[in-house]
Amino acid sequence: RLEVPYALWSGKEATYDRLGIFRCEAYVFIPQEIRTKLAPQATKCIFLSYGIDGEFGYMLWDSKNQNLIQSSDAIFNEDSILFLN
């Protein structure tokens, strides 16, 4: 049986439920401090990669605002694959 390093190190089974398909549609939560009262609570993005240099979270592209977002609070729609415009 092949074990991943995480399982060997922690003694716990590795879970893969936080993995996403690259370029899939993702919705990122906008913190209450940043948005106004009637503004949307999430923004639509494209999932690009996981955190850089071992940081936890996801790297996402907000094509509407032309902005790169790093967040650990995202919901993926893996049925919709998007492309950068």
Side-chain angles (χ1 to χ4, degrees):
R1 179 175 168 219
L2 180 65
E3 293 197 36
V4 295
Y6 175 80
L8 293 172
W9 176 72
S10 68
K12 298 177 185 176
E13 185 86 22
T15 59
Y16 302 102
D17 58 339
R18 300 281 299 179
L19 297 180
I21 297 174
F22 295 113
R23 291 190 351 242
C24 75
E25 181 179 83
Y27 293 90
V28 179
F29 178 72
I30 302 169
Q32 190 172 6
E33 302 82 40
I34 298 174
R35 60 184 156 88
T36 60
K37 188 172 185 177
L38 298 176
Q41 294 184 7
T43 186
K44 182 178 172 181
C45 296
I46 300 172
F47 172 50
L48 298 177
S49 70
Y50 296 99
I52 298 172
D53 295 329
E55 293 181 21
F56 181 73
Y58 308 106
M59 298 302 292
L60 305 121
W61 178 251
D62 179 3
S63 59
K64 179 181 175 186
N65 297 316
Q66 299 291 305
N67 190 20
L68 187 63
I69 300 171
Q70 182 174 359
S71 175
S72 59
D73 200 2
I75 297 174
F76 300 110
N77 178 7
E78 295 179 342
D79 295 330
S80 177
I81 303 297
L82 304 173
F83 297 93
L84 300 173
N85 297 356

